[in-house]
């Protein structure tokens, strides 16, 4: 009887081991299937595009065969990241100069480059100072601090610098300047009262918390270079085919409506 029971136990153990191996093989098969996950398209874009591009990506991913991973910062900072080897499939700049730099280095597919959007430079101020601040009052004692983006890396900061130069007030306001990493940070400085006023894009100004700040007005376009957002697919795009599909989506009526809703001019 004992021998018979041992035989049954041995057979049962063998069957259990065999089933376990089959299950493990099945799990291995599932892991192999996971290797076919959707490709990831990496988009490096100017910080001022955050809200609009996030909305466009959410719509695109509903039926897409890929996922879109955006990263936002000042355009100059993004160029430095790309030049440093950061993975990137699509670059959208807030400055032609930054895109020109990458094109000169043969880092973009030049035939894909397109001027996607336009924007406007806008002066915003804290709620406390909104009645005394104008573009013409920046040199007065009413204005103690002016926030702008870093001139070397943030196009909006460069445009603000051009405004000061063309108005002939650079020396008079230089001690008042508070530099920020991007336009979102400029907006935050104004909303928190860390700066009396600041220069942002119209698209960012529209997001200003009305309890903490106000839009003073758009800047005369003759005082700075045209604000254009060029976009292009990278020459060494890791996911070139998937990137091309999303790139086309950026030109659809849906995308255009979203950009316009956030204050951009579609070119």
């Amino acid at each position: 009887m004992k021998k018979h029971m041992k035989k049954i136990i041995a057979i049962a153990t063998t069957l259990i081991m065999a089933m376990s191996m089959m299950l493990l093989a099945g799990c291995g098969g599932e892991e192999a299937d996971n290797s076919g996950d959707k490709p990831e398209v990496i988009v490096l874009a100017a910080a001022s595009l955050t809200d609009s591009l996030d909305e466009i990506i959410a719509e695109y991913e509903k039926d897409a065969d890929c996922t879109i991973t955006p990263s936002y910062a000042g355009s100059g900072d993004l160029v430095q990241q790309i030049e440093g080897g950061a993975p990137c499939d699509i670059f959208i700049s807030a400055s032609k100069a930054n895109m020109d730099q990458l094109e000169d280095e043969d880092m973009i597919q030049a035939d894909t480059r397109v001027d996607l959007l336009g924007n406007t430079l806008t002066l915003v101020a804290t709620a406390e100072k909104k009645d005394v601040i104008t573009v013409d009052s920046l040199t007065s004692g009413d204005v103690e601090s002016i926030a702008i983006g870093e001139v070397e890396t943030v196009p909006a900061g460069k445009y603000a610098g051009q405004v000061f130069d063309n108005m002939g007030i650079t020396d008079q306001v230089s001690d008042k300047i508070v530099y920020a990493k991007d336009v979102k940070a400029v907006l935050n400085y104004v909303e928190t009262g860390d700066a009396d006023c600041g220069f942002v894009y119209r698209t960012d100004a529209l997001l200003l918390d009305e309890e903490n700040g106000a839009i003073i007005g758009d800047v005369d376009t003759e005082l700075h270079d045209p604000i254009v957002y060029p976009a292009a697919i990278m020459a060494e795009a890791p996911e070139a085919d998937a990137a091309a599909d999303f790139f086309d989506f950026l030109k659809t009526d849906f995308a255009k409506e979203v950009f316009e809703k956030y204050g951009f001019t579609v070119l």
Side-chain angles (χ1 to χ4, degrees), residues 45-59 70-73 117 119 182-185 187 191 201-208 229 246 250 254-255 257-264:
S48 49
L49 288 162
T50 302
D51 299 282
S52 58
L53 200 55
D54 279 350
E55 185 170 330
I56 291 170
I57 290 171
E59 178 66 21
S71 180
Y72 304 103
L117 304 166
N119 212 335
D182 55 42
V183 286
K184 296 294 185 184
L187 196 69
E191 289 181 331
Y201 293 122
R202 181 73 182 182
T203 49
D204 297 290
L206 294 174
L207 302 174
L208 184 66
Y229 287 62
F246 179 65
L250 293 175
F254 174 84
E257 289 175 4
V258 173
F259 284 133
E260 289 174 345
K261 180 178 72 174
Y262 283 92
F264 289 100

Side-chain angles (χ1 to χ4, degrees), residues 23 55 57 95 106 113 129 142 154 169 184 210 232 260:
L23 288 171
E55 185 170 330
I57 290 171
S95 166
D106 295 324
R113 178 174 175 171
K129 294 288 187 77
D142 292 323
V154 184
I169 63 172
K184 296 294 185 184
E210 295 181 358
E260 289 174 345

Side-chain angles (χ1 to χ4, degrees), residues 176-249:
K176 302 181 180 185
I177 300 299
V178 177
Y179 292 102
K181 65 177 183 178
D182 55 42
V183 286
K184 296 294 185 184
V186 172
L187 196 69
N188 180 257
Y189 283 174
V190 174
E191 289 181 331
T192 58
D194 290 327
D196 293 334
C197 61
F199 286 90
V200 298
Y201 293 122
R202 181 73 182 182
T203 49
D204 297 290
L206 294 174
L207 302 174
L208 184 66
D209 183 345
E210 295 181 358
E211 292 185 1
N212 297 317
I215 296 175
I216 303 304
D218 295 335
V219 178
D220 185 345
T221 56
E222 294 185 359
L223 293 175
H224 59 77
D225 292 340
I227 301 175
V228 176
Y229 287 62
I233 298 175
M234 304 306 297
E236 300 296 331
E239 298 291 348
D241 291 340
D245 189 70
F246 179 65
F247 199 74
D248 288 340
F249 189 77

Side-chain angles (χ1 to χ4, degrees), residues 2-160:
K2 291 182 178 180
K3 290 182 178 180
H4 184 64
M5 287 298 297
K6 287 181 178 179
K7 186 175 182 180
I8 292 174
I9 293 171
I11 292 172
T13 301
T14 301
L15 288 172
I16 291 171
M17 291 178 65
M19 290 178 66
S20 297
M21 291 178 69
M22 289 174 67
L23 288 171
L24 288 171
C27 291
E30 289 178 3
E31 289 178 1
D33 289 341
N34 287 339
S35 66
D37 285 346
K38 292 181 177 181
E40 179 187 31
V41 174
I42 299 174
V43 180
L44 301 189
S48 49
L49 288 162
T50 302
D51 299 282
S52 58
L53 200 55
D54 279 350
E55 185 170 330
I56 291 170
I57 290 171
E59 178 66 21
Y60 176 77
E61 288 187 328
K62 290 179 181 179
D63 299 309
D65 293 327
C66 64
T67 60
I68 309 297
T69 301
S71 180
Y72 304 103
S75 298
D77 281 335
L78 294 176
V79 168
Q80 292 176 9
Q81 292 177 32
I82 292 170
E83 291 176 330
C88 177
D89 293 289
I90 296 172
F91 176 48
I92 310 176
S93 173
S95 166
K96 282 190 170 186
N98 293 126
M99 189 65 80
D100 289 343
Q101 183 175 339
L102 293 182
E103 184 169 359
D104 290 342
E105 297 170 357
D106 295 324
M107 297 190 75
I108 66 169
Q109 296 181 28
D111 59 341
T112 67
R113 178 174 175 171
V114 61
D115 288 340
L116 192 65
L117 304 166
N119 212 335
T120 304
L121 192 66
T122 301
L123 178 64
V124 296
T126 61
E128 181 182 355
K129 294 288 187 77
K130 66 179 182 180
D131 294 326
V132 297
I133 289 180
T134 66
V135 173
D136 294 325
S137 71
L138 296 177
T139 59
S140 72
D142 292 323
V143 182
E144 297 179 4
S145 53
I146 307 167
I148 68 172
E150 292 282 356
V151 177
E152 295 301 319
T153 57
V154 184
K158 181 190 70 174
Y159 298 133

